[in-house]
Amino acid sequence: MPVVMAADQVARSITRIAHEVVERHRTLDNLALIGIRTRGVPIARRLAAGLHEITGTTVPTGVLDITLYRDDLMRHAVGPQPVLRKTDIDFSIDNRRILLVDDVLYTGRTIRAALDALIDFGRPGAIELAVLIDRGHRELPIKADYVGKNVPTSLSESVQVRLAEVEGLDEVVIQDATGS
Amino acid sequence: MPPAADPVTPDGLAAPVGLRTKDLLSIGDLSVDEIRLILDTAEAMKEVGTRSIKKVPALRGRTVVNLFFEASTRTRTSFEVAQKRLSADTVNIAASGSSVVKGETLADTVRNLEAMAPDIIVVRHQSAGAGHLVAGLCRARVINAGDGMHEHPTQALLDALTIRQRKGRIEGLKVSIIGDLLHSRVFRSNVLLLHALGAEVSVCGPATMMLPDMARFGVRPTTSIDEAVEGADVVMLLRIQLERMGGYFFPSLREYFQLFGMTPERLERAHPDAIIMHPGPMNRGVEIAPEVADGPYSVILEQVANGVAVRMAVLYLLADERQA
C-alpha cells in the first residue's frame, strides 16, 4: 500500500497553499473558506489557521454537506449512501470570495454538487477551489486553483486521505481497489 | 453540533448505512440503529428549513402521492412541505374529492395510482393495516401516516427527535403518556419507539380507555393522574378522539378535564425541567389547560417544526434505490 504523502508532507502542502492564497489575494478581508464534508472540513480549518499565522487575519470558515446535491442518489453507484450531516455556514456568502476545500479531486462531481449547493446560499463574488490531492480522471470541466500534490492514478486505484482529526494520523495512500 | 466523522471501517471505506425496509409501516420495522439514523438525518434536515432558499434537489423527478382518507391538517401539510423541500413532485388525494365517494375500493384506487408509477405513497386511512395492504399491492415505497388505531410511525419519530433535542437523550427518561390510550395510534407507535431507545413509559387514562392487554406493552398503567405525573421528565398528552367513540367512555368532557386534564397545579409533581407534548389537534380545556398548552414547558410547536425534518429524513432515506 504505497504512501504518497506522509504527515510532514501533508503539513507542508497545506502551508504552501496558504502562502499561495495570500499571494493571490490583495486582501483576505473578503475571503471565506468552506470545507466539504468529511475531510475537506479539517483541511479548511488548517488552512484558516495557516492564513491567520501568515497575515493575522481570521478568515470565516464554514462546513458544507453536499449529500442532498449528489447526482447518484437514485443510481446504483458503487459506494453506500453517506450519512447526511449538517451544513453550517454562519456568514453571508453574498459577494464574498469563497475558497472551497476538499481532500481529493477526482471526477469533479462532488465539486459540481458543492457549486450547486453554494449557489442556494447566495451569490458569491467568486469561487475558488483548493484540494490536497488531484488524482485526475475528470468527468466535468472543473479545475483546482490550488493543489497540494498531483498524483497520477489508474481507475482501479483508490486514494485514501487520512487526517489526524478523523483517523488519528495524517497520511495519503493509494490502494488497489481489487484488494491486492 | 461538533463535526462527527462518518462511520469508517478499518480499511477507510464508509460503513454501509441506510434503511433495510422498503416501507415504513410500523416502528417495529426499524432497528435501533435505523431509528438513530432517521433522527440524525432529521437533525441535518432541520438546517435546510433555516435557509432563505428552503429547497434541496435530493428528490428531483420523484413522484410522491399523498393519499389521505382521513381528515388531517398537520400531518398532510408536514409531509407536503417535506416533499417540496426535497424537490419531489407531489400529488394530493383526499377521499372526499376522489373516486372513493363513487364506491371504488382502496385496493382499486391504489392499483390505479400504481399504474401512474409513483415512487412513494404516503397513506392515511381509518382502518388498521391499510398501509400494509397498500404496500402489498405496489412497487412504490409506502409510508404509513396513520392507520386507524394501529400506528403513526412518523409522529413517534418526531416526538423522539423533540425529546432528544430538549433532554439530550431518551435512555432512562421517565415518560408519562396520558389520555385516550385505547383509540391512540400515537400511543402505540410511541411506546414501541420509546422502549426501543430505553425510556421508561407509564400510562394513565380512564379505565374505559385503557387497552385490555396493557401488560403486553410493558408499561405501568394507572388511573391516577398525580401518580402518572410524579417525577416525569416528559408528559405526553393524547387527544380525546370524539370521532372514534361509538359508546360512552366518560360522563362529560368537563368531568374528564376535572379528573385527567393537565393543569399547572398537577404539573408541579413532574420533574422541574419536564416538557409537555401533544400530537395535536388539541382540545383545550379537555385534556390540556390553555395555560399548560401555551406555557414555558410546552414543546408542542417544536414537535410540529420537527415533523417536517423527520418526514424529510424518512422520504430521503426510503428514496435511495441502493438500499433494500
Side-chain angles (χ1 to χ4, degrees), chain A residues 37-39 45 67-70 72-77 79-87 119-121 160 162 166 175, chain B residues 1 3-7 11-12 14-17 41 44-45 47 51 53 55-59 62 316 319-323:
Chain A
R37 282 204 194 274
T38 300
R39 288 175 190 75
R45 297 222 167 93
T67 311
L68 295 169
Y69 292 82
R70 288 162 66 100
D72 56 0
L73 173 65
M74 305 307 167
R75 286 173 227 286
H76 295 263
Q81 181 71 9
V83 179
L84 177 67
R85 300 202 185 274
K86 210 169 141 192
T87 289
I119 280 157
D120 277 359
F121 282 89
Q160 306 289 334
R162 294 175 185 151
V166 184
Q175 283 178 316
Chain B
M1 203 172 77
D6 281 325
D11 59 353
V17 287
T41 306
M45 289 293 187
E47 179 269 322
R51 301 181 187 179
I53 298 175
K55 206 176 186 71
V56 291
L59 295 197
R62 301 270 126 175
Y316 167 72
D320 187 353
E321 302 247 300
R322 290 169 297 175
Q323 315 298 342

Side-chain angles (χ1 to χ4, degrees), chain B residues 2-290:
Chain B
D6 281 325
V8 196
T9 52
D11 59 353
L13 299 169
V17 287
L19 300 181
R20 282 164 305 134
T21 175
K22 166 185 166 274
D23 310 296
L24 180 59
L25 305 176
S26 161
I27 291 295
D29 296 341
L30 302 170
S31 68
V32 172
D33 284 344
E34 288 175 319
I35 291 169
R36 295 217 173 94
L37 173 66
I38 293 173
L39 298 182
D40 291 346
T41 306
E43 297 269 7
M45 289 293 187
K46 275 179 80 106
E47 179 269 322
V48 176
T50 66
R51 301 181 187 179
S52 56
I53 298 175
K54 299 177 186 57
K55 206 176 186 71
V56 291
L59 295 197
R60 203 158 54 94
R62 301 270 126 175
T63 305
V64 185
V65 175
N66 297 314
L67 186 56
F68 276 65
F69 288 89
E70 260 189 354
S72 168
T73 320
R74 239 168 315 276
T75 305
R76 193 180 51 76
T77 312
S78 177
F79 266 110
E80 199 177 336
V81 169
Q83 290 150 10
K84 289 189 183 334
R85 289 202 177 153
L86 292 171
S87 303
D89 296 316
T90 62
V91 183
N92 293 310
I93 300 170
S96 56
S98 73
S99 294
V100 173
V101 295
K102 299 179 188 169
E104 189 173 61
T105 64
L106 172 61
D108 281 331
T109 303
V110 169
R111 283 192 197 99
N112 279 277
L113 291 173
E114 174 76 355
M116 299 178 211
D119 298 284
I120 298 177
I121 298 179
V122 179
V123 61
R124 165 169 287 194
H125 198 276
Q126 60 277 12
S127 300
H132 291 79
L133 177 81
V134 174
L137 289 171
C138 58
R139 200 206 96 266
R141 283 146 186 274
V142 177
I143 300 173
N144 177 9
D147 57 336
M149 304 190 312
H150 177 229
E151 279 216 47
H152 191 354
T154 56
Q155 177 72 40
L157 288 162
L158 74 89
D159 289 342
L161 182 65
T162 309
I163 296 172
R164 206 175 74 164
Q165 276 169 4
R166 277 301 181 118
K167 297 285 174 190
R169 69 192 162 107
I170 289 176
E171 197 176 352
L173 291 181
K174 287 179 76 171
V175 181
S176 192
I177 306 181
I178 300 167
D180 182 356
L181 302 157
L182 179 63
H183 298 101
S184 180
R185 53 196 177 206
V186 175
F187 158 65
R188 286 170 178 80
S189 286
N190 256 302
V191 77
L192 288 174
L193 198 156
L194 291 167
H195 276 157
L197 296 186
E200 186 191 318
V201 182
S202 63
V203 297
C204 171
T208 50
M209 291 178 155
M210 289 279 179
L211 279 70
D213 54 348
M214 218 33 135
R216 192 166 62 88
F217 288 93
V219 295
R220 196 163 51 84
T222 172
T223 53
S224 155
I225 189 156
D226 288 338
E227 196 185 314
V229 172
E230 190 72 49
D233 299 294
V234 177
V235 176
M236 192 180 285
L237 302 169
L238 299 174
R239 183 172 63 94
I240 294 302
Q241 304 198 24
L242 299 163
E243 78 279 13
R244 283 190 226 278
M245 292 184 188
Y248 294 106
F249 288 85
F250 47 82
S252 70
L253 293 175
R254 198 168 140 224
E255 183 168 327
Y256 182 89
F257 181 67
Q258 276 174 3
L259 288 172
F260 296 100
M262 187 51 61
T263 60
E265 297 73 40
R266 283 183 170 145
L267 249 188
E268 281 174 16
R269 288 174 177 270
H271 191 278
D273 294 329
I275 54 171
I276 295 287
M277 307 179 78
H278 192 301
M282 275 185 281
N283 295 310
R284 284 171 183 262
V286 180
E287 67 264 3
I288 187 165

Side-chain angles (χ1 to χ4, degrees), chain A residues 16-164:
Chain A
R16 176 176 49 75
I17 292 174
H19 280 283
E20 284 179 25
V21 171
V22 173
E23 192 177 36
R24 246 192 250 186
H25 294 85
R26 239 180 315 118
T27 161
L28 299 189
D29 293 344
N30 200 29
L31 187 73
L33 303 184
I34 292 183
I36 300 174
R37 282 204 194 274
T38 300
R39 288 175 190 75
V41 177
I43 297 174
R45 297 222 167 93
R46 291 188 200 182
L47 259 179
L51 292 172
H52 185 263
E53 206 166 291
I54 299 162
T55 66
T57 308
T58 302
V59 177
T61 305
V63 173
L64 185 64
D65 185 302
I66 55 107
T67 311
L68 295 169
Y69 292 82
R70 288 162 66 100
D71 58 6
D72 56 0
L73 173 65
M74 305 307 167
R75 286 173 227 286
H76 295 263
V78 269
Q81 181 71 9
V83 179
L84 177 67
R85 300 202 185 274
K86 210 169 141 192
T87 289
D88 188 8
I89 301 174
D90 62 0
F91 46 87
S92 165
I93 68 164
D94 282 335
N95 300 317
R96 268 189 192 276
R97 292 190 83 86
I98 302 293
L99 178 55
L100 265 180
V101 183
D102 203 1
D103 57 348
V104 180
L105 180 57
Y106 181 25
T107 60
R109 288 178 194 267
T110 297
I111 305 305
R112 193 281 310 164
L115 293 173
D116 278 358
L118 267 188
I119 280 157
D120 277 359
F121 282 89
R123 187 182 185 282
I127 303 177
E128 297 176 315
L129 175 63
V131 295
L132 186 60
I133 301 288
D134 182 349
R135 62 165 292 190
H137 305 289
R138 217 76 76 236
E139 293 171 3
L140 295 170
I142 282 169
K143 188 171 171 294
D145 301 276
Y146 311 92
V147 178
K149 188 179 171 81
N150 283 293
V151 179
T153 57
S154 78
L155 286 170
S156 69
E157 289 169 326
S158 89
V159 176
Q160 306 289 334
V161 172
R162 294 175 185 151
L163 296 171

